[in-house]
Amino acid sequence: MGRGPLTWIVGIAVGIVLVLGVTALIGTNDESGQPVTGGEWAQNVCGAVGVWRGEIEAIVEDIRTPSASSTAGEEPQSETPQGRTGFIRAGLEQGVQATETMVEGIDNAGIPDTEDGEEAAERVSEWADSALTELEESQDSLDDEAETLEESIEQLTEAAGTIAAVLASGTQTIVEVSRLDTELVAAFVDTSTCQQLREERGT
Amino acid sequence: MSTTDWVLIALQGAVVIGFIALGVRFGGMGLGLWGGVGTLVLVFVFGLDPGEPPISAMLIIVAVISAAAAMQAAGGIDYMVQIAGKALRARPKALNFFAPYVSWLLTVLTGTGNTFFSLIPVINELAYANKIRPERALAGSAVASTFGITASPVAAAMATMLPLVEIYNYDIVDVLLITVPASLIGIFVMAVFMNGYGKDLDDDVEYQRRLAAGEIQAPAPAGEIVLQPYAKRSVAIFLAGVAAICVFGVFEALRPTVAAEGGGVEPMSVTPLIQMFMLTAAALILLFAHVQAGDVAGTPIFKSGMVAMIALFGIAWMADTFIANNEDAIVSALGSLAENWPITIAIAIFLVAALTTSQSAATRTMIPLGLALGIGAGYMIAMWTAVAGVMFLPANGTQIAAAEADKTGTTTLGKRVIDHSFQVPLQICWIVTLLAGCAIVYLFFGDHTPVPPVPTTP
């Protein structure tokens, strides 16, 4: 093949069109505001929460053992005090980003077509929104300059504590909505993502 | 983000691209030096915080080049050329297939593309000695080594990926069952293409110019090579060093443990191991192949390696300064693109990897988004291979080192930043790998997400 720019621009364009076509064929699952079966809803909600939980776990691990997983860890000699305090801030930023994605996933899950389905969707959505607000507020609180060492430590502790709190409240919310009506109970028992989420919570 | 912020980001991006283009025009060390000027402009004019220079990659280049140059001084490269010449006599172009797969395997075993640095001088010399356009083997191998990341059980990006798909019942074996065959197919198609890519050396204008100007010597026929007495020994030591890196990359338990930040201990990362083993290999070659230390610095491999290191220093530092200060905006913009047009998710993954030059960042930010949009987890694993987009811009250490190693001038970093030698193989490989991965998921995994369950409990 010649190396003229036109040849490879056309080739790449054809490839990209192919990728777009295949992605369109695979399709997405945007059911926002639409009634879906309890099983489908539970599968999607547990999936979104499970992915979010995995991200939060990774963030906590990053804060706890930065040298093991962050790029800065490859260069311990260049690790600076600024970089160290930045871990919690960076973790919160990533947490906010992960939670925004989870909210999107929960919105796309639709509304379960069960007796208390609307209430279930509303409660999960409320929790996701409040988790996002709490993490954002916590992130903002780090912008206020602490006047004393004690205040500074308190800020960091509160920020890290917020991550743990939203994780716990999320688990609790899922447990509560899974008991709202018999169809939802069955849906949460049968779906693979909810089973996986329960296993992870157990461990 | 206000319009002013976007204008500023665009201006900073233009500075980065402009200085890369300027550096490429000067070539060699000029690339690094203009990269340094670009960093200075970003910091002093735009007030950005300086990013991290790529210390690890630079030190790996130093260590690997020391070993490869010592081997060259001992005549080891000549020996490898002779052996390869015999092996490739019937089909010299087989190198264009063999080299990418070896490069891919090394990355798979060690979890880092940095191991590819050790192959660059060898592939370059073997290609040139066999009168194969070095660009074909070098660019193909550099790209193939990047695809080893998503096929490696020990890569950092894999550690980021697994927690995201475990909820959908995909474990590491499932992920590898998708990414390994997909990347093998992608590399094969790319190699087929690269096998006929560009003009043959005899017809290449730039190579002929360099040859006529005496900037480069014509390759000596394998039969005429007179081996130095300890050439074989130096090759054995060098290859033993590479093998040791692979063994320690695969078996974490063999690695020494270091104190973990959060308490306890953890296995040492592969990066310092590569440096240690390569420096040791260089020292052993000096000792057992009777090479004078002063001769090592005079070899062509050493000179091109050092130039590559300086080039990488400036360019990667400038790129990191831009990226570290704008990563959130880049990710957010491409995330919005994928949210609004979900069919662009694979391209968004590719672009996030390209613009952040981080496979882990692209994984962490874009895979959850794709899953939230309701794309099946299996398909997201297939699309994850698009994180190879890190090679889209010529700011990667292996790209710079490969271009510097090739004295024929066929492997280039491009004149317009994105028209570098690695672009076409990259585009072929990521598109084919992604499509092959999707086909594998469709045929063998089905779509795990969502599985509408039938309630069984009343």
Side-chain angles (χ1 to χ4, degrees):
Chain A
M1 180 184 155
R3 210 179 156 195
L6 189 66
T7 314
W8 62 266
I9 287 171
V10 170
I12 291 165
V14 169
I16 287 172
V17 169
L18 261 176
V19 169
L20 291 174
V22 167
T23 314
L25 279 177
I26 291 167
T28 58
N29 191 35
D30 184 359
E31 304 282 2
S32 32
Q34 303 297 312
V36 293
T37 65
E40 202 176 332
W41 181 77
Q43 174 78 358
N44 289 338
V45 166
C46 287
V49 173
V51 170
W52 173 78
R53 196 184 156 90
E55 287 181 87
I56 297 291
E57 268 175 19
I59 291 165
V60 170
E61 190 62 19
D62 266 2
I63 294 173
R64 203 178 69 83
T65 56
S67 73
S69 45
S70 69
T71 46
E74 286 182 13
E75 312 293 351
Q77 73 275 24
S78 62
E79 206 172 75
T80 61
Q82 292 83 355
R84 296 290 296 121
T85 52
F87 282 130
I88 290 181
R89 174 182 294 278
L92 277 167
E93 279 170 12
Q94 287 172 20
V96 168
Q97 205 175 48
T99 311
E100 281 171 354
T101 306
M102 179 187 65
V103 170
E104 170 96 20
I106 286 173
D107 284 347
N108 287 349
I111 299 164
D113 189 13
T114 66
E115 196 183 332
D116 293 313
E118 276 191 31
E119 188 190 341
E122 206 171 299
R123 281 173 71 170
V124 172
S125 188
E126 271 173 16
W127 163 73
D129 289 338
S130 72
L132 186 59
T133 311
E134 279 174 43
L135 287 172
E136 278 173 346
E137 280 173 1
S138 184
Q139 191 185 335
D140 292 343
S141 74
L142 288 181
D143 292 336
D144 303 329
E145 203 174 326
E147 285 178 10
T148 63
L149 176 64
E150 287 78 5
E151 234 179 81
S152 181
I153 293 171
E154 204 176 315
Q155 267 185 348
L156 292 174
T157 313
E158 272 179 23
T162 308
I163 298 176
V166 293
L167 195 61
S169 64
T171 308
Q172 187 57 32
T173 307
I174 294 293
V175 169
E176 283 170 13
V177 298
S178 71
R179 292 173 183 159
L180 278 178
D181 64 50
T182 50
E183 277 183 84
L184 283 176
V185 169
F188 274 88
V189 167
D190 290 340
T191 49
S192 62
T193 53
C194 295
Q195 286 165 2
Q196 189 76 24
L197 194 61
R198 265 199 308 279
E199 275 173 31
E200 282 181 14
R201 210 184 124 224
T203 55
Chain B
M1 293 275 293
S2 66
T3 312
T4 317
D5 291 333
W6 283 113
V7 169
L8 275 174
I9 291 175
L11 283 175
Q12 292 159 18
V15 165
V16 172
I17 289 170
F19 278 104
I20 291 177
L22 194 58
V24 167
R25 238 168 243 287
F26 277 77
M29 264 179 66
L31 192 59
L33 303 181
W34 285 110
V37 178
T39 310
L40 188 131
V41 170
L42 290 175
V43 171
F44 281 89
V45 177
F46 291 96
L48 302 188
D49 296 336
E52 290 284 332
I55 310 270
S56 285
M58 289 162 64
L59 295 184
I60 285 174
I61 290 179
V62 170
V64 165
I65 289 303
S66 301
M71 178 168 68
Q72 188 172 42
I77 293 283
D78 289 341
Y79 175 61
M80 286 177 112
V81 165
Q82 205 176 53
I83 294 291
K86 285 177 190 165
L88 298 171
R89 188 174 295 150
R91 290 178 183 272
K93 286 188 169 183
L95 182 70
N96 297 330
F97 290 84
F98 185 64
Y101 280 117
V102 172
S103 308
W104 174 86
L105 184 64
L106 236 63
T107 303
V108 170
L109 294 177
T110 58
T112 168
N114 285 333
T115 35
F116 175 62
F117 283 113
S118 62
L119 292 183
I120 291 172
V122 177
I123 294 171
N124 177 52
E125 297 293 335
L126 293 186
Y128 186 51
N130 285 284
K131 294 189 177 175
I132 297 168
R133 183 182 176 88
E135 181 185 34
R136 294 173 183 165
L138 275 175
S141 301
V143 168
S145 77
T146 308
F147 281 83
I149 292 291
T150 46
S152 170
V154 290
M158 181 67 84
T160 309
M161 181 65 176
L162 284 177
L164 305 178
V165 292
E166 272 172 351
I167 193 79
Y168 296 102
N169 288 329
Y170 281 90
D171 59 19
I172 190 165
V173 176
D174 296 320
V175 175
L176 293 176
L177 282 172
I178 296 167
T179 57
V180 169
S183 52
L184 289 175
I185 294 167
I187 291 167
F188 180 78
V189 174
M190 176 203 69
V192 167
F193 180 86
M194 290 306 286
N195 204 29
Y197 185 69
K199 291 176 180 166
D200 286 339
L201 273 183
D202 289 343
D203 303 323
D204 190 272
V205 176
E206 175 60 18
Y207 168 65
Q208 291 303 330
R209 185 197 66 75
R210 292 184 184 200
L211 205 57
E215 293 174 21
I216 183 170
Q217 300 298 312
E224 291 177 15
I225 293 173
V226 180
L227 284 186
Q228 293 180 39
Y230 299 104
K232 291 179 189 175
R233 203 177 282 183
S234 71
V235 171
I237 294 169
F238 182 82
L239 293 181
V242 176
I245 291 166
C246 293
V247 169
F248 281 90
V250 175
F251 303 106
E252 270 194 359
L254 293 178
R255 294 185 218 161
T257 50
V258 294
E261 283 276 328
V265 292
E266 60 187 5
M268 179 184 274
S269 89
V270 175
T271 298
L273 282 174
I274 297 173
Q275 294 158 0
M276 282 183 238
F277 278 113
M278 284 289 106
L279 287 175
T280 303
L284 293 177
I285 290 171
L286 294 189
L287 188 64
F288 293 109
H290 305 282
V291 172
Q292 296 298 314
D295 294 343
V296 176
T299 60
I301 285 182
F302 187 86
K303 286 174 188 165
S304 65
M306 289 304 116
V307 169
M309 190 186 72
I310 294 165
L312 176 66
F313 178 22
I315 286 296
W317 194 15
M318 174 176 66
D320 191 68
T321 299
F322 171 72
I323 290 160
N325 285 274
N326 296 306
E327 184 176 325
D328 287 347
I330 293 166
V331 169
S332 157
L334 290 167
S336 300
L337 174 82
E339 263 178 56
N340 293 326
W341 293 286
I343 62 165
T344 61
I345 185 77
I347 290 155
I349 295 170
F350 181 88
L351 289 176
V352 169
L355 297 176
T356 63
T357 63
S358 164
Q359 286 141 332
S360 292
T363 306
R364 177 171 48 74
T365 55
M366 300 310 288
I367 300 300
L369 183 62
L371 293 169
L373 292 170
I375 298 171
Y379 291 116
M380 283 313 300
I381 294 168
M383 290 181 194
W384 175 50
T385 54
V387 296
V390 290
M391 295 200 105
F392 183 71
L393 297 174
N396 198 295
T398 52
Q399 291 167 300
I400 293 170
E404 278 309 316
D406 178 7
K407 291 298 160 205
T408 65
T410 59
T411 311
T412 70
L413 296 176
K415 287 179 181 162
R416 299 173 197 88
V417 181
I418 57 165
D419 61 339
H420 49 78
S421 290
F422 310 87
Q423 193 66 267
V424 171
L426 170 67
Q427 297 297 336
I428 294 170
C429 205
W430 89 267
I431 289 169
V432 174
T433 301
L434 187 147
L435 295 175
C438 288
I440 290 167
V441 173
Y442 179 76
L443 293 173
F444 300 106
F445 286 84
D447 186 355
H448 288 346
T449 349
V451 181
V454 180
T456 53
T457 314

